[in-house]
Amino acid sequence: DGGITQSPKYLFRKEGQNVTLSCEQNLNHDAMYWYRQDPGQGLRLIYYSQIVNDFQKGDIAEGYSVSREKKESFPLTVTSAQKNPTAFYLCASSIQQAETQYFGPGTRLLVL
Amino acid sequence: RKEVEQDPGPFNVPEGATVAFNCTYSNSASQSFFWYRQDCRKEPKLLMSVYSSGNEDGRFTAQLNRASQYISLLIRDSKLSDSATYLCVVNEAGKSTFGDGTTLTVKP
């Protein structure tokens, strides 16, 4: 089955710790995205990538980093610089940028 | 002013009712539009694209009004399973902007 997978489903972060969220897709999509969703709010774009080895900051990139070494993978690192990381993190992909986006099941990050 | 605005609701309607949501956008250069559905604690899923000519998929009808810069979603004969949050998405120059969503609760 083609689709987008995210792991883990739940992630706990200690103070001062960096954590990495995984996102993999086998849809052969060029574009991939990371969003953050806080309770009762919409999605805010963290980073996006139009093609392998290239990525751009979104609206709330501070405290986050990404890499795009393979077409299928777009991991997101939440660094210790992100002071309020508790949120629902969603990864998405599309054939090309601004086309229909398909979402993974999300990762809930909680701070201990 | 937000780039994309939706009435957050909640909209509470009885089964069988017809309900409509609007989504306004500020950028007149916006090129493509979508409605997504998001269930509680789940990822958004594409409901339908919105075309200039309007489009219908079963009980759902989406329309675009470029002159007034809004898109709409009409749900006829509401089902209990339609209860969810509906997000509109507006694309312009490769950037997608999501609305905060409108929550619908359909009651027996």
Side-chain angles (χ1 to χ4, degrees):
Chain A
D1 285 338
I4 304 175
T5 58
Q6 290 185 243
S7 62
K9 187 172 182 179
Y10 295 96
L11 185 59
F12 298 91
R13 194 191 91 164
K14 296 179 181 179
E15 293 287 340
Q17 186 182 38
N18 292 354
V19 293
T20 297
L21 285 60
S22 169
C23 177
E24 304 279 331
Q25 54 98 0
N26 61 4
L27 300 168
N28 200 33
H29 286 173
D30 282 321
M32 296 187 74
Y33 315 80
W34 273 106
Y35 293 92
R36 168 181 173 140
Q37 188 175 36
D38 293 281
Q41 298 188 29
L43 280 65
R44 291 185 290 169
L45 182 64
I46 305 172
Y47 269 98
Y48 65 98
S49 169
Q50 298 182 60
I51 200 166
V52 175
N53 293 322
D54 181 65
F55 50 83
Q56 308 294 331
K57 292 182 178 180
D59 299 320
I60 56 164
E62 185 175 349
Y64 301 97
S65 66
V66 294
S67 62
R68 186 85 187 276
E69 297 176 1
K70 297 187 300 182
K71 187 175 186 177
E72 301 80 19
S73 179
F74 191 40
L76 173 74
T77 297
V78 183
T79 73
S80 57
Q82 173 50 245
K83 297 305 179 188
N84 185 24
T86 297
F88 187 37
Y89 289 87
L90 288 157
C91 179
S93 70
S94 61
I95 295 174
Q96 292 181 350
Q97 194 176 1
E99 298 290 331
T100 304
Q101 294 183 33
Y102 297 91
F103 287 83
T107 293
R108 292 195 181 276
L109 177 61
L110 300 168
V111 177
L112 295 177
Chain B
R1 182 187 173 191
K2 288 186 176 181
E3 292 180 51
V4 177
E5 292 200 65
Q6 296 184 249
D7 182 344
F11 284 66
N12 297 308
V13 302
E15 270 187 293
T18 295
V19 62
F21 310 134
N22 281 343
C23 169
T24 59
Y25 60 95
S26 59
N27 190 338
S28 59
S30 297
Q31 298 163 316
S32 57
F33 310 86
F34 305 90
W35 283 103
Y36 281 75
R37 170 195 170 125
Q38 185 174 25
D39 292 293
C40 188
R41 301 179 70 81
K42 299 286 188 179
E43 75 273 23
K45 294 187 177 179
L46 179 68
L47 182 63
M48 57 200 308
S49 303
V50 187
Y51 304 120
S52 297
S53 56
N55 49 306
E56 185 174 311
D57 182 4
R59 297 181 294 107
F60 298 84
T61 300
Q63 292 191 314
L64 167 64
N65 185 318
R66 286 194 182 272
S68 300
Q69 294 183 203
Y70 73 87
I71 62 173
S72 63
L73 178 67
L74 180 76
I75 306 175
R76 291 181 298 277
D77 188 22
S78 299
K79 311 291 185 190
L80 296 176
S81 58
D82 294 334
S83 297
T85 297
Y86 292 84
L87 307 171
C88 68
V89 183
V90 176
N91 289 342
E92 185 271 324
K95 180 185 174 186
S96 298
T97 302
F98 284 75
D100 287 347
T102 296
T103 299
L104 171 67
T105 301
V106 182
K107 299 186 175 181

